[in-house]
Amino acid sequence: MQGFREEQCSSAHIGHLGLVADKIDSLGLAALIDERMPVSEAHGARVSHGERVAAMIFNGLGFIDSRLYLFTDFLEDKPLDVLFGRDVKAEWFNDDALGRCLDEIAAYGSTKFLTELSLTIGERRGLIGKGINIDTTTLSLYGEYPEAANQGEDEDQASIPRPERGYAKSKRHDLKQMVLLLATTGGSNFPIWMEPHSGNASDQKTMPHAAMNIKKFCEGIASSSEFIYVGDSAIYSNILQYSDELQWITRVPERYKEAKELVSTPKEDLEWTSLENGYQYSATTSNNGGVDQRWILFFSEAAYQKECKTLDRTIKTETKNQEKVWEKISKHAFGCKDDALSSIKELEKKLKYHSVKTKIIEVIQHARPGRPKANEEPTVVGYQVEYTLSTDDEKIAETRAKKGRFILATNEMDETALPCGEVLKEYKAQSGTESGFKFIKDDTFQVDSVFLKTPERINALMAVMTLCLMIYGVTQYELRQSLQEKGETVLNQAKKPTDKPSLKWIYFLFRVVNEFKICIDGKIKKVVVNVNGRLQKILKHFGKRAQAIYFNSS
């Protein structure tokens, strides 16, 4: 059999990008973008803005960090005709084309751009929930960025969120950062709103304002429903002022005296109602800040056990450390009683779960060594501390009694309209927003190091990053739903069957898929290889576009 020459053969890596293309296509994302930001072929545009955003999503979900000027390199070994549904070239997605796309998004309004797409897609797919969970994270930026105060800009320019130094959640205090505010909704943690903020923005201010902005935006959409806005304790004090306009759920900070007293109330003094999964609650009302609200004290058995184990480790560590400290001071000779007392008081301040009994004793010696003379009295030469260190059982019991407890507040006073169990459910959905942040900041996703040099493009890129999260989240949610509806499973990393696989694992399984092209007598034969039985089973839960991509042998 005659072999093929090298110039007759070529390959392209599909991997999991066919799954990404399938979801972009089924959501109609590119078409929605093109409706809002059309391009003119008369001016030489060869790819639409929808295709450019799709290309950035391929890059973002390709788990390879490629700067815009390296973007064509990322696309070079991909079957672009398969992914885009038409013949396009990698060089068409150069830094200039993508930069202009980001400029268009910025001009349209990054938040408006994202939210219009989200609301349209979310309503079509039934992904909009009752509650909206709001949270923030920080994204570090590498490179030099001028300070806003040195810009000499007009008011509009000065209002553009820009890199600043602020509280660094990433612990990279040496870098400037941007704050990304994200709001998600529904069981898929669907991103419905994003706001870029300067790196020194305060959660306490931005999150309540974001809730009002979402409400005002949605009021202009006839089909939009009334939302409940959910946030952590950072927004509590500021969201009170919007109680006449917003329905909200938030955790109550324990810095309030009333909250401290409720959390510390003995269990037997409260009436408890049991929920599933080991939760109990005791409901009351409050007028904190002059706003009528329901306060619901929740108790979680799982959290209690976990927090008690942490407490026990903390007590054990404190015992070990304090024994060393007091042993050291007991061997020290003080020149006077006042010095000894001063040291004791300072050390007692550091005791959290222990108490100590002390006694100051005189160190008595004769003036000279050897046998003392008759009638020679010893003199006091210093003072030492004797101590007995023990655990403060009363303080530990008091602390342990508060473990597993937290207070959620809502200004919806009608319990039939918003039962206490629903309050907990909506608040727990906050973890979905946090998971989105973990995804965006994952080392394999690598968009934590934003690389663009203008604030406008950075803000636009945040909108594209949120679209990446949307595609990832919806794909994972709908795959799990399909598996559960059909009673099917896939093997996870531990080789155990699951109907809730992580999409990152599914993407990993598709890493082996490639497309080979062979040219014979001027005719091109395409073969998609390595789509084994395991992958074929998974593909049954995706759309027609995925079927066409992965079974595209011709």
Side-chain angles (χ1 to χ4, degrees):
M1 179 178 177
Q2 185 178 0
F4 296 105
R5 299 188 304 276
E6 184 176 347
E7 59 268 23
Q8 289 181 274
C9 306
S10 64
S11 67
H13 182 61
I14 299 177
H16 64 276
L17 293 183
L19 305 181
V20 179
D22 175 75
K23 195 56 62 178
I24 291 173
D25 184 67
S26 69
L27 297 181
L29 182 59
L32 290 172
I33 293 171
D34 291 335
E35 288 175 9
R36 288 157 176 79
M37 300 188 317
V39 296
S40 173
E41 294 183 5
H43 290 86
R46 289 178 289 189
V47 286
S48 71
H49 286 308
E51 289 172 321
R52 297 178 208 193
V53 171
M56 285 188 270
I57 293 173
F58 288 140
N59 181 233
L61 295 179
F63 303 110
I64 298 174
D65 181 29
S66 296
R67 298 175 182 242
L68 286 190
Y69 59 82
L70 298 177
F71 196 82
T72 54
D73 294 341
F74 168 77
L75 294 176
E76 273 184 354
D77 69 336
K78 308 297 186 295
L80 300 185
D81 58 329
V82 172
L83 297 178
F84 287 93
R86 70 183 186 95
D87 287 327
V88 296
K89 298 184 182 299
E91 58 264 27
W92 294 355
F93 299 93
N94 55 37
D95 59 328
D96 187 50
L98 299 183
R100 286 199 303 271
C101 179
L102 294 176
D103 291 339
E104 284 292 322
I105 294 172
Y108 191 86
S110 300
T111 299
K112 179 184 177 185
F113 170 79
L114 184 281
T115 302
E116 286 184 356
L117 299 176
S118 294
L119 285 174
T120 302
I121 292 170
E123 288 176 353
R124 286 178 181 174
R125 310 286 279 215
L127 299 170
I128 308 296
K130 184 177 182 180
I132 290 183
N133 298 83
I134 305 173
D135 207 348
T136 65
T137 192
T138 57
L139 300 174
S140 302
L141 296 103
Y142 294 84
E144 295 298 324
Y145 296 88
E147 299 290 342
N150 298 330
Q151 297 299 303
E153 297 167 334
D154 58 31
E155 187 175 339
D156 290 339
Q157 284 292 312
S159 66
I160 296 173
R162 62 181 65 250
E164 301 281 1
R165 284 191 170 85
Y167 175 71
K169 297 179 182 180
S170 64
K171 309 301 181 184
R172 289 300 305 268
H173 302 285
D174 57 317
L175 299 175
K176 291 185 180 180
Q177 62 186 20
M178 293 287 289
V179 172
L180 172 61
L181 182 147
L182 186 65
T184 62
T185 184
S188 67
N189 304 310
F190 186 71
I192 197 173
W193 184 271
M194 59 77 59
E195 286 180 1
H197 289 280
S198 296
N200 55 5
S202 166
D203 287 0
Q204 295 182 2
K205 295 180 180 179
T206 58
M207 292 168 69
H209 289 167
M212 283 301 300
N213 291 337
I214 297 169
K215 178 179 175 63
K216 290 175 182 177
F217 187 92
C218 291
E219 282 175 348
I221 302 173
S223 59
S224 67
S225 56
E226 191 71 26
F227 292 111
I228 298 174
Y229 298 89
V230 186
D232 62 20
S233 58
I235 75 169
Y236 176 74
S237 59
N238 282 332
I239 206 168
L240 292 176
Q241 63 185 295
Y242 301 110
S243 293
D244 291 338
E245 301 170 85
L246 299 173
Q247 278 193 342
W248 49 261
I249 296 171
T250 181
R251 185 165 178 164
V252 181
E254 289 185 29
R255 65 175 180 268
Y256 293 100
K257 180 181 178 182
E258 185 181 355
K260 287 181 181 178
E261 290 175 350
L262 180 57
V263 170
S264 302
T265 303
K267 187 172 185 178
E268 58 272 17
D269 293 345
L270 297 169
E271 292 185 10
W272 294 91
T273 302
S274 296
L275 297 171
E276 58 184 15
N277 298 325
Y279 280 95
Q280 294 178 302
Y281 72 84
S282 180
T284 185
T285 59
S286 172
N287 189 252
N288 191 35
V291 176
D292 288 335
Q293 52 200 282
R294 288 159 56 203
W295 278 20
I296 309 162
L297 176 65
F298 285 96
F299 171 79
S300 166
E301 181 64 34
Y304 175 78
Q305 296 296 337
K306 183 179 180 180
E307 291 172 16
C308 283
K309 288 180 181 179
T310 302
L311 175 62
D312 291 338
R313 289 195 298 267
T314 301
I315 294 169
K316 186 176 180 181
T317 300
E318 185 180 285
T319 300
K320 183 178 179 181
N321 293 338
Q322 289 299 322
E323 282 287 1
K324 291 179 180 178
V325 170
W326 287 94
E327 178 69 18
K328 183 177 180 180
I329 195 177
S330 70
K331 295 179 180 179
H332 181 74
F334 292 92
C336 64
K337 279 188 177 181
D338 288 343
D339 287 348
L341 284 170
S342 178
S343 293
I344 289 171
K345 288 180 180 178
E346 285 299 314
L347 291 178
E348 284 179 332
K349 291 178 183 177
K350 299 177 181 179
L351 293 174
K352 193 170 182 180
Y353 300 112
H354 291 77
S355 61
V356 65
K357 293 181 180 180
T358 59
K359 180 180 180 182
I360 298 175
I361 60 172
E362 297 176 341
V363 179
I364 299 175
Q365 291 183 356
H366 287 88
R368 288 172 294 193
R371 184 186 295 273
K373 295 180 179 180
N375 301 320
E376 183 179 353
E377 295 293 331
T379 58
V380 177
V381 297
Y383 299 87
Q384 285 186 312
V385 177
E386 289 184 347
Y387 74 95
T388 302
L389 184 69
S390 60
T391 54
D392 188 338
D393 294 336
E394 184 177 343
K395 180 65 178 294
I396 292 173
E398 180 183 317
T399 303
R400 196 180 299 277
K402 293 189 289 186
K403 297 301 180 184
R405 292 184 174 190
F406 58 95
I407 303 170
L408 297 183
T410 177
N411 63 336
E412 173 54 77
M413 301 302 292
D414 185 357
E415 188 173 344
T416 59
L418 185 63
C420 295
E422 284 297 309
V423 173
L424 177 64
K425 180 181 177 181
E426 292 294 344
Y427 180 76
K428 288 177 68 177
Q430 187 81 358
S431 62
T433 311
E434 295 167 357
S435 297
F437 289 145
K438 289 179 181 178
F439 168 76
I440 286 176
K441 295 163 76 72
D442 191 284
D443 288 341
T444 54
F445 191 49
Q446 292 195 22
V447 293
D448 198 14
S449 53
V450 181
F451 49 81
L452 299 174
K453 295 299 183 183
T454 68
E456 293 87 350
R457 287 190 176 184
I458 293 171
N459 297 338
L461 182 62
M462 285 186 172
V464 176
M465 289 158 52
T466 308
L467 288 176
C468 291
L469 175 60
M470 176 196 292
I471 296 297
Y472 185 93
V474 172
T475 305
Q476 179 172 268
Y477 176 74
E478 293 186 342
L479 171 61
R480 291 176 175 181
Q481 273 198 323
S482 180
L483 286 168
Q484 291 163 15
E485 288 171 0
K486 296 176 181 177
E488 296 183 6
T489 61
V490 297
L491 295 180
N492 63 15
Q493 296 93 316
K495 307 297 183 185
K496 295 181 179 180
T498 178
D499 58 4
K500 293 182 179 180
S502 75
L503 188 61
K504 191 173 180 180
W505 170 245
I506 299 299
Y507 281 176
F508 177 79
L509 294 178
F510 276 79
R511 73 196 184 282
V512 297
V513 179
N514 291 279
E515 179 191 78
F516 282 97
K517 292 182 182 180
I518 305 171
C519 183
I520 304 175
D521 298 329
K523 295 182 179 180
I524 296 177
K525 172 74 173 178
K526 294 182 180 180
V527 181
V528 178
V529 298
N530 298 330
V531 184
N532 54 40
R534 188 184 199 181
L535 302 188
Q536 291 176 25
K537 180 181 177 182
I538 294 170
L539 284 168
K540 290 191 301 181
H541 301 278
F542 283 83
K544 294 180 180 179
R545 183 74 186 280
Q547 313 297 322
I549 290 172
Y550 289 100
F551 301 116
N552 182 31
S553 297
S554 60

